[in-house]
């Protein structure tokens, strides 16, 4: 209990703060909880007028700072009323835009702000929805704000604050550059609030923000409001990863866990726990980890539900739910089951009954009613949202999820389980990074509900507890820019500010900032190397004469010897090739080296065709196969001839045995003498080499007793000089690298007529500047060439799908297409892409991704009104049916591009009308649902 004096002093401090930060005082009155130190510090910086970068762990409450920016915008004193005579501008409201990386997070934040400030004050703008877009507070995806900035939208008028939630997303290699575009292009009058997960280079990021945005306060908090305990589940035993907090700081794994895992590994290696094969024999070591239903049951018994179990596989998530159902798990009460059914039925009323059956609705509902669910990108969006709502309300107790759930969606749990520490990133199976591990386990521990959170890693023989300790203890990861100029960006920049200022803007990006900082480090290394080179030179100095000159002779001799050796190898190989080309059936030769060394008879000379000759031979050891010039250190010499039967079958053991006996019967020596060996001519008789050696012997330093010691220092200097030259080239390559890429893009756009020779944006360029897709230039070319003119709505949807769709995995075979106009349009699209790719390659630019035909049939059938079951069954590149979630996601991207075509000034009137019809045809059934309910 504090003393009266202490309470009085605290009250004085609060009063002083309230007078200094009145807006913050108002804001905290409605919160219902006290601010943490980092939240208060960031909010105070905002009220002082500074921008702010907040880095804090997942679940720490960063969004409070963003909501305070909303409060400041709404609180802003209205402008003075217009004069009585009506002169002067009308009053301007202050606005706040709240940006998020994904639509689901935008929807969630929209509902949160509506609950607090009322529907009339809050709007939502995503690719799918536009609600009250002129409101003083608008939640939107980052791409929407970027497009507004380039278009000079009137909605930007009065903008005072921009909140960038999950700003660390700028490291995303596909979409991250959008964050930098927004930060660079926002008017200077806008205050930027950046909310990030904990990153290790926050100061570097903040330094960049200061250069492009002005004063920016950095607030970093490593503190988790709910403590996180780390565990490993080894078989049926649960261990703490660390003995205590001090051990966690030192990465010291709990000794009992280490002892038990080592003992388990020893038993596996010795064969205990191996399962016998059908014949009773031993197989290799096999480890059977705990079953998924057993893990959930254990968490339930220990009071660790609700839990998120990360599996990193869509199929694995679905299978986990089925395994728990088959095991008879039931985690809900009758009252909870009734509430779950009520929520579900209210949310799926818009989906036709026959589609629900196709989507596996009844199995999904059965899992939900038992408190179990999957959550991954392959699910229908409405299904995912229902799972999120039920989990947050505590009705669903265990969710099996892929890592996409970790991105921003507010689904905190008491416990998080990681089944593996490896995930598929779209190209390969890779280890989780410390940042990803922190992001996933950060979901554990619900603020205001749980006293502590728990993270459990399921042990397997491939999982080293010390590796897990490293992941768990490394709470931060560096933020790396993924920014690169695009065609759309180039025409927009040139059109907005001109070519030269555009180059300067690109050089102010975080990507160039980081490249330049790395150049500073490299330049310092070059300087240190130069000083070391001088020191090595002093050590190599010789009082007999110029040792640099002497060492240069030694280097020249070594280079000449290597050149002669290479020349000899080329000559020997050429002689071997020529000798093999002359061979005929029945020739007996000697293979001089390798596993097949010895006598052999030629069965098939393999002359003609391309590439090196590879004759088919039979050795006297009865091996039949092809030999290559690499098997011959000397030319192949015909030693004898024997008769080979006309239809000799080299795959017949009996035939091989008889013919090999004939080869041995020739009486020739298996290994031969040294005749035909390597010529002694060459190195010693080379005139240039002889001259260099003579010069070396005449040099004064050749007689120095410390000659070899000097030579060692000179060799070190030579290697360091070579390394330093490579560093200098790297410095030159990084300095202004983005501007050079921009110049190449401008040159390509000028050659194709999007920019004029004097740097002005043409009509075609203005059209390109309104196309927002990865294949922006290809879409513009298709519009200019009329590739999509004359198509029906369904045909247009199929034709444009090839420029937006990208299969999750590469396949060799090409997908089929609807015959007729669709196939013709796609063929023309591929032809245009080929031309763009050639231009890009010639200019050293990253090439536009090749169109992917895998979604053409599904979207074509859907736009024609066919049933969902038939549509999902027609997806190419999928094992079985196309997942409903994938279908909805790609269909929405097709709709987004069709919407751009409908509004494009570069499209014909007929095409714009067809695009609108195609949108109406696609937006039905499961596509008609929008996540705003």
């Amino acid at each position: 209990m504090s003393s009266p004096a202490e309470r009085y002093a605290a009250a004085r401090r609060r009063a002083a703060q309230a007078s200094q930060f009145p807006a913050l005082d108002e804001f905290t009155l409605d919160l219902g909880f006290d601010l943490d130190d980092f939240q208060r510090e960031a909010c105070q910086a905002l009220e002082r007028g500074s921008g702010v970068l907040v880095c804090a762990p997942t679940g720490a409450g960063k969004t409070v700072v963003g909501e305070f920016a909303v409060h400041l915008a709404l609180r802003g004193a209205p402008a003075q009323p217009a004069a009585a005579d009506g002169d002067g501008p009308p009053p301007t409201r202050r606005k706040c835009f709240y940006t998020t990386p994904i639509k689901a997070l935008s929807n969630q934040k929209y509902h949160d702000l509506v609950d607090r400030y009322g529907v009339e004050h809050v709007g939502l703008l995503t690719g799918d929805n536009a609600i009250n877009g002129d409101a003083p507070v608008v939640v939107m995806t980052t791409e929407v704000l970027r497009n507004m900035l380039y278009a000079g939208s009137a909605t930007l008028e009065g903008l005072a604050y921009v909140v960038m939630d999950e700003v660390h997303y700028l490291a995303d290699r596909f979409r991250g550059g959008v964050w930098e575009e927004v930060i660079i292009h926002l008017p200077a009058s806008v205050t930027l609030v950046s909310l990030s997960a904990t990153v290790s280079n926050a100061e570097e990021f903040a330094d960049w923000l200061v250069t492009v945005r002005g004063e920016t306060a950095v607030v970093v908090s490593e503190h988790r409001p709910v403590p996180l305990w780390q565990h490993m589940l080894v078989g049926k035993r649960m261990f703490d990863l660390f003995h205590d907090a001090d051990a966690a700081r030192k990465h010291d794994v709990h000794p009992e866990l280490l002892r038990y895992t080592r003992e388990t590994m020893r038993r596996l290696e010795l064969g205990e726990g191996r399962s016998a094969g059908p014949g009773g024999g031993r197989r290799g070591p096999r480890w059977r980890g705990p079953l998924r239903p057993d893990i959930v049951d254990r968490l339930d018994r220990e009071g660790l539900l609700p839990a998120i179990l990360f599996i990193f596989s869509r199929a694995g998530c679905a299978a986990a739910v089925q395994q728990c159902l088959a095991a008879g798990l039931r985690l809900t009460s009758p009252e909870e089951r009734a509430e779950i059914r009520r929520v579900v039925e209210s949310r799926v009323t818009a989906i036709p009954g026959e589609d629900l059956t196709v989507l596996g609705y009844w199995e999904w509902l059965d899992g939900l009613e038992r408190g179990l669910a999957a959550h991954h990108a392959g699910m229908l969006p409405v299904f995912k949202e229902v799972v999120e709502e039920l989990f947050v309300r505590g009705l669903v107790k265990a969710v099996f999820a892929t890592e996409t759930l970790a991105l921003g969606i507010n689904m905190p749990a008491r416990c998080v389980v990681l089944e593996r520490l490896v995930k598929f990133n779209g190209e390969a199976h890779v280890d989780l990074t410390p940042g990803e591990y922190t992001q996933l386990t950060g979901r554990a521990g619900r603020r205001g509900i749980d006293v502590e959170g728990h993270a459990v890693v399921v042990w397997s023989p491939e999982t080293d507890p010390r590796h897990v300790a490293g992941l768990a203890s490394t709470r931060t990861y560096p933020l790396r820019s993924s920014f690169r100029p695009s065609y759309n960006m180039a025409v927009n920049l040139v059109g907005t500010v001109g070519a030269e200022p555009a180059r300067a803007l690109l050089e102010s990006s975080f990507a160039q900032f980081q490249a330049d900082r790395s150049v500073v480090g490299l330049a310092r290394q070059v300087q240190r190397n130069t000083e070391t080179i001088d020191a090595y030179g002093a050590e190599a100095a010789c009082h007999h004469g110029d040792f640099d000159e002497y060492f240069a002779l030694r280097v020249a001799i070594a280079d000449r010897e290597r050149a002669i050796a290479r020349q000899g190898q080329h000559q020997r190989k050429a002689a071997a090739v020529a000798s093999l080309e002359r061979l005929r059936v029945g020739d007996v030769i000697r293979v001089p080296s390798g596993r097949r060394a010895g006598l052999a008879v030629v069965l098939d000379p393999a002359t003609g065709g391309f590439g090196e000759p590879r004759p088919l031979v039979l050795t006297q050891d009865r091996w039949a196969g092809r030999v290559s010039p690499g098997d011959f250190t000397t030319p192949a010499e015909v030693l004898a001839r024997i008769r080979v039967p006309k239809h000799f079958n080299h795959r017949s053991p009996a035939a091989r045995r008889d013919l090999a006996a004939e080869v041995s019967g020739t009486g020739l020596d298996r290994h031969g003498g040294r005749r035909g060996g390597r010529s002694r001519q060459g190195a010693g008789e080379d005139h240039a080499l002889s001259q260099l050696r003579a010069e070396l012997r005449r040099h004064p330093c050749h007689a120095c007793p410390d000659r070899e010691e000097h030579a060692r220092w000179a060799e070190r200097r030579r290697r360091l000089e070579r390394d330093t030259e490579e560093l200098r080239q790297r410095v030159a390559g990084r300095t202004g690298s983005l501007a050079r890429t921009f110049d190449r893009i401008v040159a390509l756009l000028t050659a194709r007529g999007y920019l004029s020779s004097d740097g002005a944006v043409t009509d075609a360029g203005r059209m390109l500047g309104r196309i927002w897709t990865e294949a922006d230039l290809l879409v513009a070319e298709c519009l200019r060439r009329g590739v999509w003119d004359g198509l029906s709505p369904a045909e247009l949807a199929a034709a444009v799908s090839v420029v937006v769709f990208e299969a999750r995995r590469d396949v060799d075979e090409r997908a089929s297409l609807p015959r007729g106009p669709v196939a013709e349009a796609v063929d023309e699209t591929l032809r245009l892409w080929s031309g763009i790719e050639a231009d890009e390659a010639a200019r050293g630019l990253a090439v536009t991704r090749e169109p992917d035909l895998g979604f053409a049939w599904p979207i074509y059938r859907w736009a024609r009104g066919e049933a969902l079951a038939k549509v999902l069954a027609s997806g190419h590149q999928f094992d079985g049916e196309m997942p409903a979630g994938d279908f909805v996601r790609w269909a929405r991207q097709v709709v987004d591009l069709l919407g751009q075509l409908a509004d494009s000034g570069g499209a014909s009137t007929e095409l714009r009308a067809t695009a609108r019809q195609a949108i109406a045809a696609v937006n039905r059934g499961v596509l008609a649902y929008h996540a705003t309910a």
Side-chain angles (χ1 to χ4, degrees):
M1 190 67 143
S2 58
S3 68
E6 288 171 333
R7 288 199 296 274
Y8 176 72
R12 288 285 301 271
R13 280 196 302 272
R14 283 195 298 272
Q17 284 185 347
S19 62
Q20 192 178 355
F21 302 104
L24 181 57
D25 191 50
E26 289 172 18
F27 178 69
T28 52
L29 288 176
D30 297 333
L31 278 181
F33 59 86
D34 291 334
L35 292 179
D36 290 341
D37 289 345
F38 86 91
Q39 294 168 327
R40 186 173 298 280
E41 182 186 347
C43 290
Q44 288 175 353
L46 263 184
E47 191 164 356
R48 282 195 299 266
S50 170
V52 65
L53 166 65
V54 182
C55 298
T58 303
K62 297 184 289 288
T63 53
V64 167
V65 183
E67 288 168 8
F68 180 58
V70 171
H71 176 80
L72 286 174
L74 291 174
R75 180 183 185 270
Q80 293 299 315
D85 59 2
D87 291 340
T92 303
R93 293 182 304 174
R94 295 214 302 176
K95 293 181 179 178
C96 176
F97 288 172
Y98 197 112
T99 71
T100 69
I102 52 177
K103 293 171 187 174
L105 196 52
S106 293
N107 296 326
Q108 193 175 67
K109 182 51 63 178
Y110 168 73
H111 291 302
D112 291 346
L113 292 176
V114 164
D115 290 343
R116 176 157 187 169
Y117 297 109
V119 71
E120 70 279 4
H121 288 119
V122 185
L124 175 68
L125 293 175
T126 67
D128 297 333
N129 299 302
I131 302 170
N132 198 15
D134 292 324
V137 178
V138 185
V139 183
M140 61 184 69
T141 48
T142 316
E143 280 86 352
V144 170
L145 178 53
R146 185 270 313 269
N147 299 355
M148 278 187 187
L149 289 166
Y150 280 143
S153 170
T155 312
L156 296 168
E157 190 177 346
L159 183 60
Y161 297 92
V162 167
V163 180
M164 302 196 81
D165 204 352
E166 309 278 347
V167 75
H168 54 271
Y169 209 79
L170 66 76
D172 180 77
R173 63 192 177 116
F174 297 114
R175 296 171 53 217
V178 177
W179 274 252
E180 289 186 51
E181 287 183 78
V182 168
I183 292 169
I184 292 169
H185 292 300
L186 275 175
S189 59
V190 176
T191 300
L192 185 67
V193 181
S194 306
L195 309 179
S196 171
T198 313
V199 293
S200 53
N201 58 336
E203 286 74 17
E204 179 188 40
F205 185 47
D207 288 347
W208 173 68
L209 286 174
V210 168
T211 65
V212 293
R213 302 296 318 159
E215 184 185 354
T216 303
V218 189
V219 180
V220 178
S221 172
E222 291 280 1
H223 174 69
R224 276 183 55 97
V226 180
L228 178 65
W229 291 95
Q230 309 270 356
H231 313 278
M232 285 199 81
L233 183 61
V234 188
K236 294 183 178 180
R237 291 191 59 181
M238 185 91 80
F239 293 89
D240 290 339
L241 184 60
F242 304 112
H243 184 262
D244 53 28
D246 190 47
R249 281 191 293 274
K250 296 177 182 174
H251 300 201
D252 288 342
V253 178
H254 200 299
E256 182 65 16
L257 169 60
L258 280 178
R259 188 197 63 75
Y260 191 79
T261 52
R262 284 170 183 157
E263 180 63 24
T264 305
M265 283 297 293
R266 191 183 67 80
R267 286 201 306 271
L268 285 171
E269 287 165 4
L270 291 174
E272 293 179 26
R274 299 184 189 182
S275 61
R282 292 282 181 89
R283 295 181 186 172
R286 292 187 62 188
W287 167 255
R288 287 194 177 90
L291 299 174
R292 289 160 178 166
D294 294 342
I295 294 175
V296 175
D297 185 52
R298 169 124 190 209
L299 297 177
D300 187 27
R301 283 187 281 108
E302 297 195 10
L304 294 179
L305 295 181
I308 301 171
L309 297 94
F310 287 107
I311 290 182
F312 306 129
S313 154
R314 295 178 179 188
C317 291
V321 174
Q322 292 305 314
Q323 289 158 12
C324 290
L325 294 179
L329 274 185
R330 191 182 295 277
L331 307 172
T332 52
S333 67
E335 294 77 18
E336 288 173 327
R337 288 196 287 277
E339 178 62 11
I340 288 168
R341 183 174 281 268
R342 188 195 65 75
V343 170
V344 172
E345 289 176 349
S346 69
R347 297 292 293 275
V348 300
T349 51
I351 302 176
E354 63 271 17
D355 288 353
L356 287 177
T357 304
V358 174
L359 295 167
Y361 168 76
W362 301 107
E363 296 86 347
W364 174 67
L365 179 58
D366 185 28
L368 289 178
E369 289 186 331
R370 297 194 194 194
L372 302 158
H375 187 289
H376 57 75
M379 292 170 63
L380 198 66
V382 63
F383 283 17
K384 279 199 301 181
E385 289 162 26
V386 168
V387 170
E388 290 163 13
E389 179 184 340
L390 294 176
F391 188 79
V392 170
R393 290 180 56 183
L395 296 170
V396 165
K397 318 291 184 179
V399 169
F400 298 93
T402 57
E403 76 276 9
T404 52
L405 184 143
L407 180 68
I409 300 297
N410 186 24
M411 276 183 67
R414 181 167 294 164
C415 178
V416 164
V417 178
L418 299 181
E419 191 174 80
R420 298 177 68 205
L421 296 177
V422 175
K423 68 166 191 171
F424 185 74
N425 67 356
E427 296 173 357
H429 286 89
V430 295
D431 291 337
L432 284 184
T433 65
E436 289 166 334
Y437 183 90
T438 302
Q439 188 90 348
L440 295 169
T441 57
R443 296 276 152 221
R446 297 164 298 173
R447 188 167 190 175
I449 301 174
D450 299 322
V451 177
E452 57 193 25
H454 297 268
V456 179
V457 175
V458 180
W459 183 84
S460 69
E462 299 81 35
T463 309
D464 184 347
R466 286 163 299 192
H467 173 63
V468 180
L471 289 175
S473 305
T474 311
R475 305 209 74 86
T476 58
Y477 57 104
L479 197 58
R480 292 277 174 257
S481 171
S482 59
F483 180 82
R484 61 182 178 85
S486 67
Y487 299 113
N488 168 285
M489 186 195 302
V491 293
N492 277 309
L493 281 174
V494 172
T496 307
V497 298
E500 277 309 309
R503 291 177 94 254
L505 271 173
L506 285 175
E507 291 189 324
S508 69
S509 68
F510 186 45
Q512 192 61 57
F513 185 83
Q514 287 191 310
D516 292 344
R517 281 216 165 177
S518 69
V519 162
V520 170
L522 291 174
R524 285 182 186 145
Q525 186 62 49
V526 167
Q527 182 59 38
R528 285 195 294 269
N529 286 4
T530 304
E531 293 168 4
T532 307
I533 286 167
D534 292 342
Y536 287 173
E539 292 290 344
C542 177
H543 66 280
H544 284 271
D546 186 347
F547 200 85
D548 287 349
E549 186 179 77
Y550 177 76
F551 188 72
L553 285 172
R554 289 176 65 137
V555 171
I557 290 169
D559 289 345
R560 183 62 187 162
E561 285 174 340
R562 276 194 293 271
I564 291 169
R566 280 196 300 271
Q567 185 181 357
Q569 287 171 353
H570 289 315
Q571 288 173 347
R572 284 194 295 275
K573 185 170 182 180
V577 168
S579 68
L580 292 181
E581 287 174 340
R582 290 193 294 269
L583 295 178
R584 294 177 299 159
V585 175
D587 285 347
V588 177
I589 59 173
R590 183 179 288 110
V591 181
S593 60
R595 289 185 304 157
R596 310 303 173 191
L599 299 174
V601 60
V602 178
L603 306 178
D604 173 18
T607 54
F610 299 98
E612 297 177 338
R614 298 184 69 240
L616 179 66
V617 302
L618 173 71
T619 68
Q620 64 189 112
D621 297 324
R622 305 181 191 176
W623 174 82
R626 295 196 178 275
V627 291
S628 69
D631 296 313
F632 292 83
T633 52
T634 58
E637 184 180 351
V638 179
L639 306 173
R641 284 187 57 77
I642 60 175
R643 181 180 168 281
V644 177
K646 189 171 184 181
H647 300 293
F648 180 78
N649 179 9
H650 68 274
R651 290 188 175 85
S652 164
R656 289 203 306 271
R657 182 192 63 216
D658 294 343
L659 191 59
E662 281 194 56
V663 173
S664 299
T666 58
L668 293 166
D669 183 5
R670 180 185 182 96
H671 299 292
R674 290 198 53 84
R675 66 188 182 86
R678 296 184 184 181
S679 167
R680 295 295 299 166
Q681 182 214 344
E685 297 179 17
D686 180 77
H687 178 68
L689 188 60
S690 301
Q691 205 168 13
L692 285 168
R693 284 178 172 158
E695 279 186 60
L696 186 77
R697 285 190 293 271
R698 286 196 300 270
H699 198 282
C701 292
H702 193 66
C704 177
D706 298 322
R707 180 185 70 198
E708 293 309 310
E709 181 66 18
H710 295 325
R712 278 192 286 275
W713 285 109
E715 176 61 24
R716 288 173 190 161
R717 184 177 67 171
R718 186 172 76 95
R719 287 179 183 168
L720 193 57
E721 284 172 340
R722 190 172 58 216
D723 293 344
T724 305
E725 184 54 36
E726 286 179 9
L727 286 176
R728 288 194 178 101
Q729 289 173 1
R730 284 167 64 189
V731 167
R734 291 186 187 184
T735 306
S737 51
L738 282 178
R740 281 199 300 277
T741 302
F742 177 74
D743 291 342
R744 292 169 189 160
I745 287 174
V746 166
L748 188 150
L749 292 174
T750 304
R752 285 183 170 264
Y754 293 93
L755 297 172
S756 64
S757 55
D758 60 354
V761 180
T762 63
D763 288 342
R766 279 185 281 278
M767 172 192 66
L768 173 59
R770 294 294 166 266
I771 295 170
W772 314 100
T773 182
E774 193 182 341
D776 45 13
L777 183 58
L778 179 56
V779 171
E781 288 289 298
C782 287
L783 286 174
R784 291 175 76 190
R785 304 288 187 272
V787 171
W788 297 323
D789 290 345
L791 298 177
S792 71
E795 289 167 347
L796 179 61
V800 304
S801 75
V802 304
V803 299
V804 297
F805 178 72
E806 184 176 8
R808 294 181 73 220
R809 289 176 175 80
D810 292 334
V811 294
D812 296 330
E813 58 184 288
R814 171 174 159 159
S816 62
L817 291 166
R819 291 179 184 173
V822 174
E824 291 167 11
V826 171
D827 285 344
E828 181 62 14
T829 303
L830 288 167
R831 190 186 67 76
L832 290 173
W833 169 79
S834 182
I836 292 171
E837 183 201 32
D839 277 1
E840 289 168 331
R843 287 178 166 83
L845 290 167
V847 296
T848 299
R849 181 174 56 80
E850 183 177 1
D852 193 320
L853 284 49
F855 193 58
W857 264 118
I859 196 67
Y860 177 71
R861 285 182 162 155
W862 182 254
R864 287 180 60 187
E866 296 187 25
L868 182 63
K870 191 172 182 181
V871 169
L872 297 181
S874 63
H876 181 67
Q877 301 168 328
F878 292 93
D879 296 329
E881 291 189 346
M882 183 179 200
D886 286 341
F887 170 72
V888 170
R889 186 170 75 258
W890 290 116
R892 284 185 173 166
Q893 291 205 26
V894 170
V895 166
D896 181 69
L897 182 53
L898 288 170
Q900 294 180 43
L901 299 186
D903 297 333
S904 173
S908 65
T909 306
E910 178 196 1
L911 179 59
R912 291 203 296 271
T914 306
R916 282 189 283 272
Q917 292 168 5
I919 292 170
V922 173
N923 277 335
R924 66 180 181 88
V926 292
L927 264 299
Y929 171 82
H930 287 310
T932 57

